[in-house]
Amino acid sequence: MSTFEALLLALLILMLLVGGKQGFSNFMALLINLVLMVLAVILIAGGFNAIGVAVVIAFVVLATTIFLSTADGNVAATAFVASLLVTVLVLAVILIGVGLAHVQGFGTEDSEELEGYNLLIGVSFQNILIATALFSTLGAIAEAAVAVAAGMAELGTQASESGLTKMGGEIIGTALNTLFFGFFGGFAGLFIWFTQLKYPFWQVLNNKIFAGELIQVLFSMIAVTVTVPLTMWVVKTREKGNQA
Amino acid sequence: MKKFYGKIISGSQWRWLLPILAFLFVFGLCEFDGPLYPQPVVRLTRVQNERPQRQVDNFNNVDHTTQQHVSGRLLNTSRQGRLVRFSNTFSASGALDTRLRVGQSVFVQRQNGSYQLQDVKRDGVVLGLLAATLTLMALVVKRRVWLTFGSLLANVILLLITLHLETSPANQQLAYLLFSGMAVLFTLVTTVFIAGFSRQAAVIATATIGATALAVALGYGLFNLTQYRDLHIEAMNYVTQVPQLLFFVQIIIGSLGAVLDESNDIAVAVMQLPRDSKRRFKAGMAIGRNVMGPLIAVLFMIFIADTFSESILWLRNDNALTQTFIWVMGLGFAQALVSAFGIVLAVPLTAGLATVTGKGATDEHI
């Protein structure tokens, strides 16, 4: 058995023990997302426009993550609508940020990994980066949208403005921790590299890989922050629609 | 129509433009920070492109490279204001190069009297986006803003301390211990920011540390049991030390935030319930079941998306899909799976601890 199979099997058992039926559908969501990510890589490498692929697959990833991991259909529907709105907004921010930052592809610190590879592959690395950035915000958007929608369903229509602000603040606060540690965990090696080779601050700030990573964290943080008021707005609008 | 128009421009809605203004302000400010840099900075005043050249490699990838003749003015050093010229080549794919445009600022290097492009100046975008993000957060979370910023800042400072300790030569042997210790410290500091010095904070911190430790133990147990088959830790990027250590660090730190987030959600909800062990534990498990799926997705998407550029490069260089998956995407996937262990294990752990620790909210008032 390969290590991946063993890890997947162990996760399936854990999720069944802890989550039962819902744990199983969470596991399925993870598998579907994995297949979608591999599919995205194949399509982009096959010559399809990376941004187009990202938009289509993002839609499916959001649907999978939200509907398979939320038991309450109404909460899921609200969260899904809100997350689509947020995704459109975030895509606009990503297009501007990536366009200005020139952080596509690889940096000089990557040269060891790139040895022996032909880099003129005819696929736009800038578009690949836009896809990467969009995908890495999706999980955070889905999580925050579900949390807000579920929280508002629990509070009901009686919720006061200050109660909602407090709930939103808590959701954003904890989501920021997830993102901060998640991204740092992904690139701990790079930070140790910078410290070990004593890069001065100004050089780190302008470094291609660091700048690329940091703006991706910021995209995700913007995404989570925007998700909170937008989901609340969707909930209220849906309520009004139901009353009318 | 009039009503709609009135609503859009009415008073407080304007505040949503503030993040954009913050971005423009900081971005603009960075246009003038050239003199702060020791490295020569040039603002481009003229860019001339030659004809694109078609390039075909032995895998039949078709790309185009273009040469640019660039001139600009030095923004700093003793030669400030002088006109310099250099050339740049960019490709349509742009893996290591980039297309220069008029108005952009770049770093250059002086060699034998002539100048060469070194890198693009990126501080404006990075700091501008940071300013926009912070402004947006301040608008949404309102009074909690200092707590949020404080927690982030504390983590950044801890991170810098860890990095400095870790890279000082005397500590190389102790690196595993040091990082585990720092992970505990990260957890404690963050929980205090979230929940103050309270019983709730104690539950969150204990559950987070416990679940992460269990997850890592289970992960490494399985790695060894399967003898790291198909898991190539030696393929890690940015390796300056033993790759095994770096992978360990990435797993611990990467999952910490998500586990903490989840423990917090569960503990807060459970500890508000009246003291009925069975009901409290059940409620905790129900909340955990709801949040664990999306949280696993958050980390999975981050870790996998990070491998995209390299995966596509591998596929375009005629590597098989399975090879690419194992060597490039595999490490991110393994990291996501071990983090998922932590996220799942934290559910019963937090629910259990929150049930046995402390009285219910109603009890405390009596």
Side-chain angles (χ1 to χ4, degrees):
Chain A
M1 199 192 280
S2 88
T3 306
F4 297 119
E5 287 159 5
L7 292 173
L8 274 172
L9 188 66
L11 184 64
L12 175 63
I13 296 170
L14 279 179
M15 288 184 110
L16 282 174
L17 284 176
V18 172
K21 216 166 92 187
Q22 207 179 336
F24 183 74
S25 65
N26 280 335
F27 184 79
M28 287 316 290
L30 180 67
L31 280 192
I32 294 172
N33 281 342
L34 175 66
V35 172
L36 286 170
M37 287 300 101
V38 174
L39 185 69
V41 168
I42 295 173
L43 287 175
I44 296 171
F48 287 91
N49 179 289
I51 302 176
V53 171
V55 168
V56 174
I57 291 199
F59 187 81
V60 190
V61 168
L62 284 175
T64 313
T65 311
I66 292 174
F67 285 101
L68 281 181
S69 58
T70 317
D72 183 338
N74 204 22
V75 167
T78 307
F80 185 61
V81 173
S83 66
L84 288 183
L85 291 177
V86 176
T87 308
V88 172
L89 247 163
V90 167
L91 182 62
V93 178
I94 290 175
L95 286 172
I96 296 168
V98 169
L100 287 171
H102 298 266
V103 288
Q104 78 283 359
F106 306 94
T108 42
E109 289 79 6
D110 285 308
S111 36
E112 204 180 314
E113 273 83 39
L114 301 177
E115 232 166 83
Y117 282 90
N118 173 44
L119 294 175
L120 296 174
I121 59 170
V123 179
S124 161
F125 277 100
Q126 181 160 332
N127 290 353
I128 297 176
L129 182 66
I130 291 167
T132 304
L134 188 67
F135 285 141
S136 57
T137 60
L138 291 182
I141 294 175
E143 200 247 350
V146 170
V148 175
M152 285 192 73
E154 209 170 291
L155 290 174
T157 43
Q158 314 301 321
S160 65
E161 194 66 29
S162 67
L164 289 179
T165 308
K166 185 168 178 278
M167 181 188 78
E170 273 164 12
I171 290 171
I172 291 172
T174 51
L176 290 185
N177 284 322
T178 308
L179 292 174
F180 177 86
F181 286 107
F183 273 100
F184 172 59
F187 271 74
L190 184 72
F191 293 119
I192 293 175
W193 177 303
F194 287 152
T195 325
Q196 201 138 30
L197 301 182
K198 300 207 164 40
Y199 279 44
F201 172 73
W202 66 267
Q203 204 180 337
V204 173
L205 187 65
N206 288 283
N207 179 279
K208 193 174 180 182
I209 310 175
F210 176 81
E213 266 316 292
L214 187 62
I215 66 171
Q216 281 189 53
V217 185
L218 294 176
F219 292 150
S220 297
M221 290 187 172
I222 291 173
V224 167
T225 315
V226 178
T227 304
V228 172
L230 256 177
T231 312
M232 289 180 177
W233 179 76
V234 171
V235 173
K236 284 177 188 161
T237 311
R238 276 178 60 126
E239 272 168 9
K240 266 186 217 155
N242 287 343
Q243 281 163 10
Chain B
M1 182 66 204
K2 199 182 169 193
K3 194 180 164 197
F4 179 74
Y5 183 70
K7 201 173 173 187
I8 288 289
I9 57 162
S10 75
S12 63
Q13 300 298 329
W14 282 109
R15 68 182 193 277
W16 298 109
L17 290 176
L18 280 174
I20 299 170
L21 289 179
F23 174 82
L24 292 176
F25 178 70
V26 174
F27 186 81
L29 217 58
C30 286
E31 289 290 302
F32 301 102
D33 71 354
L36 295 175
Y37 283 94
Q39 183 90 13
V41 181
V42 170
R43 177 164 307 131
L44 308 182
T45 50
R46 207 164 149 229
V47 177
Q48 246 182 333
N49 292 350
E50 282 190 12
R51 267 203 173 171
Q53 301 284 316
R54 196 179 136 95
Q55 311 273 351
V56 184
D57 68 6
N58 38 358
F59 307 114
N60 275 324
N61 293 318
V62 180
D63 212 324
H64 294 87
T65 55
T66 311
Q67 217 190 359
Q68 301 185 295
H69 300 285
V70 186
S71 49
R73 287 199 187 277
L74 274 168
L75 297 181
N76 58 355
T77 70
S78 55
R79 296 162 176 272
Q80 189 175 349
R82 278 212 215 163
L83 197 70
V84 299
R85 285 190 179 83
F86 55 92
S87 64
N88 173 49
T89 307
F90 72 89
S91 59
S93 50
L96 280 174
D97 48 58
T98 197
R99 178 182 187 156
L100 297 180
R101 291 195 164 83
V102 172
Q104 206 179 349
S105 296
V106 298
F107 293 107
V108 292
Q109 219 171 8
R110 194 160 184 250
Q111 253 173 0
N112 310 326
S114 72
Y115 287 90
Q116 274 180 332
L117 175 70
Q118 201 188 26
D119 207 350
V120 179
K121 191 163 163 283
R122 302 185 169 92
D123 53 358
V125 194
V126 170
L127 296 176
L129 273 172
L130 184 68
T133 311
L134 296 181
T135 314
L136 183 67
M137 274 181 208
L139 283 179
V140 175
V141 303
K142 293 176 189 160
R143 248 173 290 161
R144 265 182 72 101
V145 72
W146 299 116
L147 209 63
T148 313
F149 290 176
S151 166
L152 279 179
L153 193 68
N155 282 331
V156 171
I157 291 170
L158 265 179
L159 191 78
L160 292 175
I161 297 172
T162 319
L163 288 172
H164 276 281
L165 284 177
E166 205 275 337
T167 46
S168 59
N171 292 316
Q172 289 292 300
Q173 307 294 324
L174 295 166
Y176 281 92
L177 260 179
L178 180 79
F179 265 111
S180 310
M182 287 316 272
V184 172
L185 207 57
F186 267 123
T187 312
L188 295 179
V189 170
T190 316
T191 31
V192 168
F193 265 103
I194 296 175
F197 289 96
S198 61
R199 226 178 295 169
Q200 192 176 309
V203 169
I204 298 170
T206 317
T208 304
I209 295 165
T212 311
L214 277 175
V216 171
L218 179 60
Y220 274 81
L222 290 171
F223 292 169
N224 282 315
L225 204 70
T226 53
Q227 294 171 333
Y228 289 83
R229 220 179 117 200
D230 289 345
L231 181 65
H232 297 284
I233 291 185
E234 70 274 20
M236 270 188 65
N237 291 348
Y238 316 119
V239 171
T240 44
Q241 304 174 345
V242 207
Q244 277 79 6
L245 171 69
L246 285 184
F247 190 60
F248 174 77
V249 172
Q250 297 202 348
I251 285 186
I252 295 196
I253 306 270
S255 62
L256 209 59
V259 176
L260 201 91
D261 184 349
E262 186 188 39
S263 292
N264 178 57
D265 284 353
I266 300 172
V268 168
V270 171
M271 293 174 101
Q272 279 169 356
L273 291 173
R275 190 172 196 175
D276 169 1
S277 315
K278 218 173 179 182
R279 213 182 117 197
R280 287 178 86 171
F281 185 73
K282 260 194 182 155
M285 291 293 281
I287 295 164
R289 273 196 281 271
N290 273 328
V291 291
M292 71 182 187
L295 273 175
I296 291 171
V298 175
L299 292 185
F300 172 80
M301 295 305 282
I302 292 177
F303 296 152
I304 290 289
D306 262 344
T307 64
F308 258 52
S309 290
E310 214 178 331
S311 299
I312 290 157
L313 180 72
W314 273 57
L315 285 177
R316 283 290 226 175
N317 276 266
D318 238 14
N319 287 292
L321 182 64
T322 38
Q323 284 302 97
T324 307
F325 182 83
I326 288 172
W327 285 87
V328 186
M329 301 179 99
L331 283 170
F333 186 46
Q335 199 183 345
L337 287 175
V338 178
S339 309
F341 290 168
I343 291 169
V344 180
L345 286 168
V347 176
L349 213 58
T350 317
L353 276 173
T355 305
V356 295
T357 319
K359 300 165 188 128
T362 42
D363 289 8
E364 272 175 3
H365 290 296
I366 295 167

